[in-house]
Every structure is written in C-alpha cells, then in structure tokens.
Amino acid sequence: MFIAIDETKCMGHGRCYAVAEDLLSDDDEGFVAERGRCWELPADLVAQAQDAADACPEGAIAVTETAAADA
C-alpha cells in the first residue's frame, strides 16, 4: 500500500498528523511535512494512513495499492 499527499489540497488543519503520529509530522507552518510526496507504507502503518486520509477534510490524502503518479 502507498500513501500520497496532494500539496495543492492540504490546508494545514493538522487532523492527519494528529491521528497518525507514527507516520506523519507537521512543519513550521502547521502543514503536514510530507505533503507533495508518495511513498510505500509499512504494513503496520496502513491503518494509521487510512485514519489520516479519513480525517482530512480536503481529501488531500490517498491510500492506494499502487504509487500515485502525482502526489
């Protein structure tokens, strides 16, 4: 599984890194630090990644079986 964070949709609410502390972090401006990236998830963090995606009001996070071409 992969996680991708669309930097154009992220508004910095912080809900994602609040529910996925082992996976995501915040930057100096309060945005998720990993925005604009796509990476493969360790199996033990897939549930946290899905929680983060579900918590994002903008739908900026996608959890998919294949890598996203554009994060």
Side-chain angles (χ1 to χ4, degrees):
M1 298 293 286
F2 292 82
I3 184 170
I5 303 174
D6 185 334
E7 67 183 323
T8 64
K9 292 182 180 178
C10 179
M11 293 284 126
H13 293 286
R15 295 177 186 173
C16 59
Y17 53 79
V19 298
E21 295 174 351
D22 296 329
L23 180 64
L24 303 172
S25 60
D26 60 324
D27 66 12
D28 292 339
E29 297 175 344
F31 291 92
V32 61
E34 296 80 6
R35 72 187 187 274
R37 293 186 46 217
C38 177
W39 69 98
E40 190 168 4
L41 289 164
D44 62 327
L45 293 179
V46 171
Q48 276 194 44
Q50 190 58 58
D51 289 345
D54 292 344
C56 181
E58 274 77 29
I61 301 173
V63 178
T64 60
E65 291 188 24
T66 58
D70 296 311

